[in-house]
Amino acid sequence: MTRFSAILPFALGSLALASQDAFQSKCNQFAKKIDLPNVKVNFAEYVQAGTNLSLPDNAPSCGASSQSVSVDLCRVAMAVSTSNSSEITLEAWFPREYKGRFLSTGNGGLSGCIQYYDLAYTAQLGFATVGANNGHNGTSGEPFYKHPEVIEDFAYRSIHTGVVVGKELTKKFYDNGYDKSYYLGCSTGGRQGWKSVQKYPNDFDGVVAGAPAINFIGLLSWSAHFYPITGPPSSKTYLTAAEWNIAHEEIIRQCDAIDGAKDGIIEDTDMCHPILETLICKSNAKSKANCLSPEQVNTVQQILSPVYGINGTLIYPRMQPGSEILAQPIMYNGVPFEYSKDWWRYVVYNDPTYSGANWTVKDAAAAFAQNPYDIQTWNADISPFQKAGGKVLHYHGMQDQLISSEDSKWYYSRVAQEMDMAPSELDEFYRFFTISGMGHCGGGDGAYGIGQGTRTYAGSDPKDNVLMAMVKWVEEGVAPDYVRGAKFSNGPGSTIEYHRKHCKYPRHNVYKGPGNYTDENAWQCV
Ligand SMILES: *[C@@H]1O[C@H](CO)[C@@H](O)[C@H](O)[C@H]1NC(C)=O
Ligand SMILES: *[C@@H]1O[C@H](CO)[C@@H](O)[C@H](O)[C@H]1NC(C)=O
Ligand SMILES: *[C@@H]1O[C@H](CO)[C@@H](O)[C@H](O)[C@H]1NC(C)=O
Ligand SMILES: *[C@@H]1O[C@H](CO)[C@@H](O)[C@H](O)[C@H]1NC(C)=O
Ligand SMILES: *[C@@H]1O[C@H](CO)[C@@H](O)[C@H](O)[C@H]1NC(C)=O
Ligand SMILES: *[C@@H]1O[C@H](CO)[C@@H](O)[C@H](O)[C@H]1NC(C)=O
């Protein structure tokens, strides 16, 4: 007995060391074994848990020169050509503690940036994971200028190429390959997830697509139209941040309690149609600190209205009410929206001097007519994906300041109509969840901790994590009926103040009591 216990620790120690060496040497040998068309391996390197990885090649505008890695993994970096004048930069991360699942991450904005934080997050959850730069480097749209191949990569080709190569590498790296394949992305990443569902129905078994930039031309038109409404800071139609706070408080005053709880959060923005004239200053008002001018009220009104095109058709729905404070610094800040400006500059008009200041719906029509490589991502017939057995979990924050959640509702309704299916039938393969109190892919006033990334992480249990909920749906056939979110007391990773179960659309949350609104069981999806 004594001998046995004395020997055991030593035996375990050398065993762990031996297995580490095997994984490590497999990683170090791996680059030599890769022989795939169009793929040039830059390096394969072993990364130990706890490493703060330095990323000197990442474009400065991507704003990520390092990434901490919490599990042992093999990192493979490649260039993959997509045509004779374009290429993607691709990374594949293979964790030691592998769960037999392949995953692709996505991108954001008009970038151009490998989302290393998503690679680290999904590798930590045991996925063999890939991330690409979407065909160009950095956040600007300038690389699109007179370079259609780069636009094509951005529209659909980067993700699909990364998936094709990534799956081959996963089969080469792990003896047992992979069983199921997943996608996780938000914003442009959400659009890329939907593009895969629409165009490559066999790429993934499960797609988690958040706040998608679908109806892409409509979206860029909508974000282009804010500046012509507000004008520059000197104009009468402009509101300062403080004035937007006034508008926000009035909107919350009128709409907060509709769901039964005064918690500062609008559960169902569909029911919020604020009367904004209440904001107009009385003619004898001594102070204008709590009211607005008629021109400013008109600005708020227009921003909370849909945009229609030259022929009167809907281009994009309204900004959902409740997002005013989050949206002000980026959408209503008195300068043309950067991504929209870049799109007309470098794609629609090929005119680097185009400023976006005088944008009108005529410009929208020009962009719609162009729709390069069907970047719209608006096809509502997803029956090939359904037939292939795929599942898609779509979510959208109800306080999203960059992409209106109402566009997601519109898409859901288009799919239902196009496929002639009631929500209970769509539930078999497509579920949409509205996340109250969530900004753009995270942040916000409510329970946005749903586990779509590190900044919304509140545990890996499927009930607290949209990605693991998708895994359970695909692998066990147990579909999520709600998405449980955590409200952090002080930002991501801080203690959890309360949970809320976010409803599956078209249901919405109503506070029934008897507990406090912080009690998740005091709410009901109706
Ligand atoms: C990683 O290194 C960078 C640059 O050296 C540093 O700024 C960052 O704080 C480090 N991150 C962690 C988690 O230690
Ligand atoms: C590049 O590809 C295009 C389209 O496939 C082709 O027309 C062109 O000749 C090719 N150019 C070169 C230099 O190979
Ligand atoms: C992107 O940056 C990487 C790393 O510096 C470089 O190897 C690659 O060629 C760049 N890609 C493009 C399309 O410029
Ligand atoms: C374009 O917008 C600028 C800035 O708002 C304005 O000064 C100018 O008059 C506009 N030009 C036209 C042709 O409307
Ligand atoms: C109306 O405009 C939209 C967007 O520009 C376009 O897609 C649509 O085909 C137009 N419809 C008609 C009837 O012209
Ligand atoms: C509910 O909880 C919040 C936060 O803890 C607290 O501020 C509020 O007073 C509570 N409301 C009731 C009715 O107990």
Side-chain angles (χ1 to χ4, degrees), residues 309-315 361 364-369 376:
I310 43 171
N311 56 18
T313 48
L314 178 63
I315 289 182
V361 292
F368 273 106
Q376 259 296 76

Side-chain angles (χ1 to χ4, degrees), residues 29-206:
Q29 305 294 313
F30 192 55
K32 289 199 283 269
K33 296 193 174 151
I34 301 172
D35 178 22
L36 293 173
N38 305 322
V39 177
K40 184 183 142 283
V41 180
N42 294 328
F43 59 83
E45 67 177 11
Y46 174 69
V47 181
Q48 198 170 11
T51 301
N52 182 3
L53 199 60
S54 161
L55 306 166
D57 291 337
N58 204 15
S61 63
C62 293
S65 56
S66 66
Q67 174 62 51
S68 57
V69 177
S70 64
V71 294
D72 291 351
L73 54 84
C74 181
R75 175 188 180 207
V76 187
M78 295 151 275
V80 184
S81 64
T82 51
S83 76
N84 56 22
S85 67
S86 59
E87 65 169 31
I88 61 169
T89 300
L90 179 70
E91 294 215 7
W93 289 20
F94 298 124
R96 179 197 297 278
E97 299 295 330
Y98 174 56
K99 301 285 202 304
R101 301 174 183 126
F102 172 79
L103 182 140
S104 172
T105 63
N107 304 92
L110 294 185
S111 85
C113 299
I114 293 176
Q115 296 196 165
Y116 287 98
Y117 48 87
D118 282 338
L119 287 170
Y121 178 60
T122 51
Q124 182 189 332
L125 291 170
F127 294 85
T129 182
V130 294
N133 74 338
N134 221 0
H136 63 280
N137 289 328
T139 54
S140 162
E142 195 176 352
F144 298 141
Y145 185 51
K146 298 186 173 170
H147 205 154
E149 298 288 358
V150 176
I151 302 172
E152 188 165 359
D153 282 346
F154 181 78
Y156 72 88
R157 196 166 52 187
S158 174
I159 292 289
H160 180 64
T161 303
V163 169
V164 171
V165 172
K167 284 181 173 179
E168 286 305 314
L169 294 184
T170 305
K171 285 190 273 187
K172 265 192 215 294
F173 189 79
Y174 297 106
D175 294 339
N176 294 324
Y178 65 90
D179 293 325
K180 298 290 178 193
S181 128
Y182 296 91
Y183 178 82
L184 178 71
C186 194
S187 193
T188 279
R191 184 187 67 75
Q192 291 165 317
W194 274 112
K195 181 53 94 180
S196 301
V197 168
Q198 296 165 7
K199 191 175 169 75
Y200 296 106
N202 297 303
D203 274 4
F204 303 111
D205 298 293

Side-chain angles (χ1 to χ4, degrees), residues 182-321:
Y182 296 91
Y183 178 82
L184 178 71
C186 194
S187 193
T188 279
R191 184 187 67 75
Q192 291 165 317
W194 274 112
K195 181 53 94 180
S196 301
V197 168
Q198 296 165 7
K199 191 175 169 75
Y200 296 106
N202 297 303
D203 274 4
F204 303 111
D205 298 293
V207 168
V208 178
I214 53 177
N215 180 11
F216 182 80
I217 308 282
L219 169 65
L220 289 184
S221 300
W222 176 72
S223 37
H225 102 301
F226 292 126
Y227 176 77
I229 294 174
T230 66
S234 56
S235 39
K236 282 184 160 177
T237 44
Y238 184 80
L239 283 78
T240 62
E243 286 162 338
W244 274 109
N245 281 358
I246 298 170
H248 177 73
E249 277 173 26
E250 177 61 9
I251 290 166
I252 290 295
R253 190 186 69 79
Q254 291 187 33
C255 293
D256 183 11
I258 293 173
D259 52 37
K262 277 199 163 182
D263 56 355
I265 294 159
I266 301 170
E267 282 296 323
D268 186 0
T269 52
D270 276 348
M271 301 179 103
C272 177
H273 297 277
I275 293 163
L276 299 167
E277 300 83 88
T278 52
L279 282 163
I280 296 176
C281 294
K282 294 191 186 112
S283 45
N284 61 355
K286 290 211 174 66
S287 155
K288 307 221 158 166
N290 282 307
C291 57
L292 303 177
S293 72
E295 292 87 352
Q296 291 172 321
V297 168
N298 184 47
T299 293
V300 179
Q301 191 90 58
Q302 284 192 59
I303 280 172
L304 295 181
S305 303
V307 196
Y308 297 95
I310 43 171
N311 56 18
T313 48
L314 178 63
I315 289 182
Y316 206 79
R318 67 171 182 169
M319 174 61 105
Q320 79 274 291

Side-chain angles (χ1 to χ4, degrees), residues 370-387:
Q370 186 189 41
N371 183 22
Y373 309 102
D374 195 21
I375 197 164
Q376 259 296 76
T377 318
W378 201 228
N379 177 5
D381 177 7
I382 56 170
S383 50
F385 182 75
Q386 179 204 6
K387 290 198 184 88

